Amino acid sequence: MAMETYLKGTEISAAHFFEIWHHYDADGNGYMDGKELQTFIQELQQARKNAGVDLTPEMKTFVDQFSKSSDGKVGIVELAQVLPTEENFQLFFRCQQLKSSEDFMQTWRKYDSDHSGFIDAEELKSFLKDLLQKANKQIEDAKLSEYTDIMLKMFDENNDGKLELTEMARLLPVQENFILKFQGVKMCGKEFNQAFDTFDSDGNGYIDENELDVLLKDLCTKNKADLDINNIATYKKNIMALSEGGKLYRNELALLLCAGEN
């Protein structure tokens, strides 16, 4: 009943939006697809019908696009465009800074201010505050803290109170999120370090564009199901956005390719 109440609303709070997402992304993989997506569409239509409320134009477009699709995927960003979520919270999913993977990588470098490889609650709060200011929106600190807490709950898959690169990347539209493609090719710590040392061919401690090109060709050859060798130029541009002055250090590349210590 809670979901029906939320789905028929004219404005959905940030907290209720989180509950809706958590409910329909049943397997927690970061997007709705297959049965999850079809269930959401059916229950959205039914909730609006029961309340005597028409689907909004955005909802109609969404239903037309995905109701007959068996392979559709919808992320948090796409859902935020469909549901009438409170205005300030919705801005986070429409920010111009995150329209592409390259923009996202540059934004990550800026807000991971201590270069820890994570964005903690305070760094995330700064990021959200800046987005609102750029949209000429002012909110009280308590509301900003609430938004920060909700965003952490949404994206912090391992519940460690901070966001990894791959967790925060869910702010990207699914079709733009090249980081998702690298989830299936991550290596254990030992394997990653060996690969880094191998492709850092001159041993200077960082990977440059030419070395990254060779590394990506190797990954694409070994992981054809996940990566497309025809997209190497795009992969390289996005990954190099993490670098400083064209130098991609071990800890930076590890954000994308290293799954853990062992």
Side-chain angles (χ1 to χ4, degrees):
M1 288 298 293
M3 290 305 111
E4 181 175 347
T5 301
Y6 301 158
L7 292 174
K8 70 183 181 184
T10 55
E11 182 177 89
I12 298 170
S13 71
H16 289 168
F17 179 82
F18 166 69
E19 288 186 42
I20 290 170
W21 176 258
H22 186 69
H23 177 79
Y24 289 104
D25 178 23
D27 58 9
N29 65 356
Y31 48 81
M32 294 189 297
D33 63 349
K35 185 178 180 181
E36 295 170 338
L37 182 55
Q38 296 310 313
T39 298
F40 169 73
I41 290 172
Q42 292 165 9
E43 294 187 2
L44 173 65
Q45 291 175 307
Q46 193 62 48
R48 308 291 287 189
K49 181 179 179 180
N50 291 346
V53 180
D54 291 335
L55 295 175
T56 65
E58 293 81 6
M59 291 175 182
K60 288 178 181 177
T61 299
F62 179 86
V63 170
D64 289 343
Q65 181 178 355
F66 292 106
S67 61
K68 296 179 181 179
S69 172
S70 60
D71 58 355
K73 287 185 179 181
V74 174
I76 292 174
V77 174
E78 289 82 3
L79 185 64
Q81 316 307 317
V82 175
L83 297 180
T85 312
E86 58 180 281
E87 181 182 6
N88 285 338
F89 189 71
Q90 196 173 62
L91 283 172
F92 302 142
F93 302 99
R94 293 183 172 178
C95 63
Q96 297 301 310
Q97 281 180 261
L98 300 179
K99 289 298 183 183
S100 72
S101 290
E102 184 179 9
D103 293 339
F104 170 78
M105 293 298 210
Q106 293 170 346
T107 299
W108 173 272
R109 279 185 53 81
K110 177 181 178 181
Y111 289 97
D112 179 20
S113 54
D114 55 4
H115 302 291
S116 64
F118 301 92
I119 287 184
D120 61 25
E122 285 304 310
E123 290 168 334
L124 178 60
K125 188 175 181 180
S126 295
F127 168 63
L128 299 180
K129 183 178 181 180
D130 285 354
L131 288 182
L132 288 171
Q133 287 179 341
K134 287 176 182 177
N136 296 316
K137 301 290 184 180
Q138 299 293 328
I139 63 172
E140 295 180 357
D141 190 69
K143 193 67 174 177
L144 183 60
S145 294
E146 177 192 339
Y147 287 162
T148 303
D149 182 58
I150 290 172
M151 295 290 265
L152 272 174
K153 288 179 180 177
M154 276 188 169
F155 299 120
D156 183 15
E157 297 173 2
N158 58 3
N159 298 311
D160 61 359
K162 52 193 176 184
L163 298 181
E164 300 174 12
L165 179 76
T166 51
E167 291 173 331
M168 192 168 171
R170 288 164 63 190
L171 274 170
L172 283 166
V174 168
Q175 296 304 316
E176 275 291 339
N177 195 346
F178 95 106
I179 296 169
L180 286 176
K181 300 182 185 301
F182 283 81
Q183 288 291 82
V185 303
K186 280 193 169 188
M187 314 170 204
C188 68
K190 182 178 180 180
E191 187 181 3
F192 168 76
N193 285 323
Q194 289 174 342
F196 189 93
D197 292 339
T198 297
F199 291 98
D200 176 20
S201 56
D202 54 11
N204 59 6
Y206 61 83
I207 300 284
D208 61 27
E209 283 199 45
N210 292 330
E211 291 167 334
L212 181 60
D213 191 71
V214 177
L215 169 58
L216 288 172
K217 286 177 180 176
D218 183 72
L219 284 175
C220 289
T221 300
K222 294 176 180 176
N223 301 277
K224 293 180 180 179
D226 296 294
L227 304 176
D228 184 352
I229 200 166
N230 295 312
N231 289 333
I232 281 183
T234 300
Y235 298 155
K236 185 166 64 173
K237 181 179 70 170
N238 292 333
I239 294 171
M240 288 307 294
L242 276 175
S243 71
E244 185 172 352
K247 299 176 180 179
L248 192 66
Y249 289 95
R250 190 181 301 264
N251 63 328
E252 293 164 341
L253 188 58
L255 293 173
L256 190 66
L257 293 181
C258 186
E261 293 298 322
N262 299 316

